[in-house]
């Protein structure tokens, strides 16, 4: 891994920004001056080059007419995912050392896909905190990590079989659960409030928390300045959670017009994870049992309808794959394939927003990332096709920078 370059001029590119949905125009024949780990200038090539050269020696990196965008943000990540089946069993039986290497390899692959920030929403044994420290220290390549630590579940609730969840009961138990994750370093809290597609002894619409338990989670997390996201499927359960102040819904398999209207009014975001109900090849690869495949794939049509309702109601929809971000799937990686599925409904410009600026605003880190602006961290990716014409352009990501470090350059690797 190379050291941070102190003075780089990223030349001959078209700069695209998630602010296009607000009317910002792409900048053709542009340059971005990166000094240290941040963007020092962006604009027409001649103007930025003169500014950079006047400040001292600068090394030019010719991007050969590529389209340059902010790095992608995946808001539903499990680097230690272990679904039912033989593939998941292999991960569950890993010792702590094997798990650390496994997750570090996933983090490197994730970054190379063009994902420069992830939101982890349930990882095993708090290994995510060690991985975050290793990445920050430069010992491991990977994206910036914001994490919920272990997800909170009721006794026997969704995901209880794995060490990426923490069983709690009653308001006092859930308050303690929230505080334990914050003590470990959690940036947000994840809670399972309904059944899902991966629980053999539950249904998608099985309620799993009482009102006083969820209220305790929300009150405690918000008092500590942490947002709460919830694994949730059915409209009735989601609607009640939204009224209590839930910040984000994961999946939302069975929404209704009434519930999405309230989500939009109250600012509750949706990470739809569309791939999880249309990924038979992935399930077959991992040996996922038939009962789970039937439940997942059977939920697909209703899932898409729910997503469409949310979009039409004005709910903020954000990119999140649930599948490991780097996983090769249908000719690309899971992150890009999820974004393509979203784009079919929201279009390429909104998809760019959903994969960059929207997530960082929810995460509260918009001062540092999500757009190509002066002062922002130099988390940037480049591709040869225009992602405002087709989201599939992200399949061609060939150059990745995170914080002034060039993490991937296909031209250099080919040479």
């Amino acid at each position: 891994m190379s050291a941070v370059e102190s003075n780089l001029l990223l030349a001959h590119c078209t700069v695209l920004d998630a602010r296009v949905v607000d009317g910002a125009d792409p900048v053709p024949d542009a340059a971005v001056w990166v000094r240290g780990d941040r963007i020092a200038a962006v604009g027409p090539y001649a103007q930025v080059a003169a500014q950079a050269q006047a400040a001292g020696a600068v090394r030019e990196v010719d991007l050969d007419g590529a389209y340059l965008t902010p790095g992608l943000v995946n808001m539903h990540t499990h680097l230690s995912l272990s679904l039912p089946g033989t593939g998941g069993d292999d991960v569950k039986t890993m010792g702590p050392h094997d798990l650390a290497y496994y997750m570090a390899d996933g983090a490197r692959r994730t970054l190379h896909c063009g994902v420069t920030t992830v939101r982890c929403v349930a990882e095993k044994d708090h290994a995510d905190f060690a991985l975050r420290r290793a990445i920050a220290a430069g010992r491991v390549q990977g994206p910036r990590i914001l994490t919920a630590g272990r997800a909170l579940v009721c006794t026997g609730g969704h995901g209880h079989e794995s060490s990426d969840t923490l069983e709690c009961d009653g308001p006092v138990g859930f308050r303690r659960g929230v505080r334990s994750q914050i003590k470990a370093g959690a940036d947000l809290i994840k809670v399972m409030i309904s059944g899902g597609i991966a629980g053999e002894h539950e249904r998608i619409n099985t309620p799993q928390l009482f009102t006083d338990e969820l209220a305790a989670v929300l009150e405690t997390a918000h008092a500590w300045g942490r947002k709460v996201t919830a694994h949730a499927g059915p409209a009735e359960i989601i609607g009640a959670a939204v009224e209590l102040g839930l910040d984000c819904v994961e999946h939302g398999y069975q929404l209704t017009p009434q519930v999405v209207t309230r989500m939009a009014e109250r600012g509750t975001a949706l990470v739809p994870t569309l791939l999880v109900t249309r990924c038979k090849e992935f399930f077959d690869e991992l040996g996922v049992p038939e009962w789970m495949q039937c439940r997942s794939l059977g939920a697909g049509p209703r899932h898409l309808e729910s997503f469409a309702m949310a979009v039409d109601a004005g709910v903020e929809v954000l990119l999140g794959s649930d599948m490991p971000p780097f996983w090769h799937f249908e000719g690309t990686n899971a992150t890009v394939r999820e974004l393509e599925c979203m784009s079919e409904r929201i279009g390429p410009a909104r998809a760019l927003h959903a994969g960059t600026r929207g997530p960082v605003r929810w995460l509260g880190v918009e001062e540092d990332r999500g757009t190509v602006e002066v002062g922002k961290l130099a988390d940037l990716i480049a591709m040869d096709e225009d992602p405002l014409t087709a989201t599939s352009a992200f399949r061609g990501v060939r150059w990745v920078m995170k914080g002034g470090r060039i993490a991937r350059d296909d031209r250099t690797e080919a040479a």
Side-chain angles (χ1 to χ4, degrees):
M1 188 185 305
S2 64
V4 175
E5 299 280 2
S6 60
N7 220 4
L8 282 178
L9 183 68
L10 311 179
H12 307 303
C13 58
T14 296
V15 174
L16 300 180
D17 201 300
R19 292 171 294 170
V20 293
V21 297
D22 299 325
D25 293 325
V27 183
D29 192 21
V32 178
W33 176 22
V34 176
R35 185 165 53 184
D37 62 351
R38 294 188 180 263
I39 297 170
V42 56
Y45 172 79
Q47 173 186 320
V48 175
Q51 186 178 351
Q53 290 161 3
V58 60
R59 183 167 75 87
E60 185 168 306
V61 177
D62 191 341
L63 293 179
D64 295 327
Y67 291 86
L68 190 75
T69 75
L72 294 173
V73 182
N74 193 314
M75 291 282 279
H76 194 118
T77 299
H78 302 285
L79 292 171
S80 58
L81 181 69
S82 56
L83 295 175
T86 54
D89 290 343
D90 289 343
V91 179
K92 285 180 181 177
T93 57
M94 286 181 179
H97 308 301
D98 291 326
L99 183 66
Y101 280 113
Y102 178 81
M103 291 176 66
D105 179 62
R108 176 187 59 82
R109 293 177 182 223
T110 296
L111 179 61
H112 285 197
C113 288
V115 178
T116 54
T117 297
V118 296
R119 186 185 69 162
C120 294
V121 286
E123 300 291 359
K124 290 178 174 52
D125 302 322
H126 284 172
D128 42 331
F129 298 113
L131 178 60
R132 182 172 67 182
R133 290 191 295 270
I135 292 172
R139 293 190 294 269
V140 175
Q141 260 198 347
R144 304 180 194 279
I145 293 177
L146 291 98
T147 184
R150 298 170 72 182
L152 307 183
V153 303
C154 66
T155 295
H158 183 75
H160 74 278
E161 309 92 342
S162 177
S163 62
D164 57 10
T165 59
L166 178 66
E167 290 181 303
C168 309
D169 287 299
V172 172
F174 275 97
R175 288 188 190 277
R176 184 177 295 117
V178 171
R179 290 170 179 149
S180 71
Q181 299 316 293
I182 294 173
K183 177 182 177 181
D187 305 290
L188 65 141
I189 298 297
K190 166 84 174 292
V191 61
M192 312 294 204
I193 65 174
S194 80
I197 63 175
E200 185 172 8
H201 304 296
E202 63 188 30
R203 300 182 306 276
I204 287 176
N205 61 355
T206 303
Q208 299 201 343
L209 264 70
F210 290 108
T211 299
D212 58 351
E213 293 175 319
L214 180 54
V217 170
L218 291 164
E219 182 182 21
T220 307
H222 289 166
W224 283 80
R226 294 335 190 257
K227 289 183 176 180
V228 179
T229 193
H231 162 99
E236 182 179 0
I237 293 171
I238 292 170
V242 169
E243 296 303 324
L244 289 173
L246 181 66
D247 301 295
C248 187
V249 173
E250 309 297 310
H251 313 304
Y253 301 120
Q254 301 168 353
L255 297 171
T256 62
Q258 294 78 13
V259 168
V260 295
T261 296
R262 287 300 285 157
M263 289 175 65
E265 291 172 349
R266 296 182 66 90
T268 308
L270 172 66
V271 180
T273 67
L274 298 175
L275 288 186
V276 299
T277 55
R278 49 192 41 76
C279 59
K280 179 169 175 52
E281 292 178 14
F282 174 67
F283 289 155
D284 288 343
E285 186 177 353
L286 294 182
V288 169
E290 187 66 19
W291 65 262
M292 179 176 163
Q293 294 210 30
C294 288
R295 185 185 300 171
S296 170
L297 302 177
R302 184 72 176 84
H303 191 188
L304 275 181
E305 291 175 7
S306 295
F307 175 61
M309 288 179 197
V311 171
D312 292 345
V315 173
E316 178 85 276
V317 293
L318 308 172
L319 168 65
S321 62
D322 202 352
M323 289 170 59
F326 58 85
W327 205 273
H328 186 74
F329 181 68
E330 295 185 348
T332 185
N333 59 74
T335 301
V336 171
R337 191 69 191 98
E338 176 73 25
L339 197 59
E340 289 176 334
C341 290
M342 295 177 71
S343 182
E344 291 174 8
R345 183 73 190 188
I346 63 178
R350 285 283 173 186
L352 176 60
H353 174 91
T356 55
R357 192 184 184 195
V360 303
R361 287 169 63 179
W362 192 95
L363 292 166
V365 294
E366 64 269 29
E367 290 186 2
D368 277 333
R369 57 197 106 154
T371 56
V372 187
E373 292 184 86
V374 173
K376 298 289 183 77
L377 288 165
D379 292 358
L380 304 166
I381 60 177
M383 65 217 77
D384 289 322
E385 302 297 327
D386 184 356
L388 293 182
T389 300
T391 301
S392 58
F394 286 105
R395 290 178 176 237
V397 168
R398 60 170 172 83
W399 184 92
V400 178
M401 169 178 276
K402 186 192 123 190
R405 298 177 188 265
I406 299 175
R408 172 184 172 185
D409 187 341
D410 289 1
R411 297 166 306 174
T412 301
E413 293 169 10

